[in-house]
């Protein structure tokens, strides 16, 4: 494979995404679960957005944050899976340098956004349980819009330097990326320049986004547990905890895979097979969007009731004012 280079700054015209190295012979088989999960994620999250938009009983802060999570999940998995399927099915492995940078920007922006939304949902549960009488006055629609926008801008502003730093690197170690998508460190490792700044900045962003969000989630649930345990009624405690179970499941899905993918990429390169890392990295971007609609559909009574009414045909969901 020829490498086309710009002689002035050693920038490749394009990269080659190899897919899952070592498992090329079974790319077609790998594509089936990826495609199935992607379809479930798209249908499930679009279905949630439809329910939240048109069902009056779901016009509450908790469900607005859930809608924001669904939008983020759709964007996050759509940034990677379509290209991965093109690699598996049609061997369309080439991606231009500019397209690679754009994909990298979107992937890291929406993963950062996903973490921020999970933190906002934890704060929502804290306010709902610890200040139930002030819930609707604290989390008004303007407040929800502002914190959602702030979470998005935080991710964008912190990820833009990734793109700038990566673009300025000289690339003279080939143009083959052993991955299904343009991950920041996978691209940086092709550079013959000093990538220490990239690595340090990556860790810094992980702490600023992931570390801060996990701290807020931990504090929120500590306060929630204290408030719930102070309730005298066992039924009240159970009801309060049940409103958090779906969110806790979502946190487990998201952060467990995120930690494995992040640390294995940086510290487990010699002990973890590349194929395992790449598959887990893809599942990290695909499993939470797939499972979130299912978890919230099963664990949240209001959503479950809406779905049952639709399936039973007892009540059509109509737009407001119709």
């Amino acid at each position: 494979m020829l490498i086309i280079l710009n002689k002035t700054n050693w920038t490749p015209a394009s990269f080659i995404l190899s897919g899952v190295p070592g498992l090329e012979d079974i790319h077609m088989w790998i594509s089936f679960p990826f495609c199935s999960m992607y379809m479930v994620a798209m249908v499930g999250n679009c279905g949630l957005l439809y329910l939240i938009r048109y069902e009056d009983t779901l016009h509450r802060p908790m469900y607005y944050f859930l809608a924001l999570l669904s939008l983020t999940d759709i964007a996050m998995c759509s940034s990677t899976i379509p290209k991965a399927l093109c690699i598996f099915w049609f061997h369309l492995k080439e991606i231009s340098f500019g397209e690679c940078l754009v994909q990298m920007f979107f992937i890291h922006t929406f993963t950062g956004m996903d973490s921020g939304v999970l933190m906002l949902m934890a704060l929502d549960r804290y306010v709902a349980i610890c200040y139930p009488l002030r819930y609707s006055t604290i989390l008004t629609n303007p407040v929800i819009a502002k914190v959602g926008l702030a979470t998005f801008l935080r991710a964008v502003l912190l990820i833009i330097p990734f793109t700038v730093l990566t673009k300025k690197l000289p690339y003279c170690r080939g143009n083959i990326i052993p991955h299904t998508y343009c991950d920041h460190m996978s691209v940086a490792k092709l550079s013959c320049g000093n990538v220490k700044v990239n690595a340090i900045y990556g860790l810094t962003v992980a702490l600023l986004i992931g570390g801060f969000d996990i701290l807020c989630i931990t504090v929120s649930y500590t306060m929630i547990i204290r408030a719930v345990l102070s309730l005298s009624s066992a039924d009240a405690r159970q009801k309060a905890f049940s409103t958090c179970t779906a969110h806790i499941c979502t946190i487990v899905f998201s952060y467990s895979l995120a930690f494995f993918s992040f640390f294995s990429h940086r510290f487990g390169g010699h002990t973890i097979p590349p194929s395992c890392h790449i598959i887990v990295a893809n599942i990290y971007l695909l499993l939470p969007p797939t499972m979130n609609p299912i978890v919230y559909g099963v664990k949240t009574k209001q959503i479950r009731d809406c779905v049952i009414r639709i399936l039973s045909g007892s009540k059509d969901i109509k737009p407001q004012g119709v």
Side-chain angles (χ1 to χ4, degrees), residues 156-183:
V156 169
L157 294 176
L158 288 175
I159 298 304
I160 284 177
F162 270 142
T163 309
V164 176
L165 290 171
T166 305
K167 184 177 182 180
K168 290 184 176 181
L169 289 172
Y171 295 91
C172 52
R173 292 181 179 173
N175 67 340
I176 299 177
I177 301 175
H179 215 306
T180 57
Y181 60 82
C182 291
D183 174 74

Side-chain angles (χ1 to χ4, degrees), residues 50-70:
Y50 182 84
L51 285 176
I52 294 169
R53 170 65 180 86
Y54 291 124
E55 177 58 42
D56 292 344
T57 60
L58 301 183
H59 290 178
R60 296 171 54 194
M62 171 184 173
Y63 301 106
Y64 292 148
F65 286 124
L66 180 56
L68 186 59
L69 181 66
S70 290

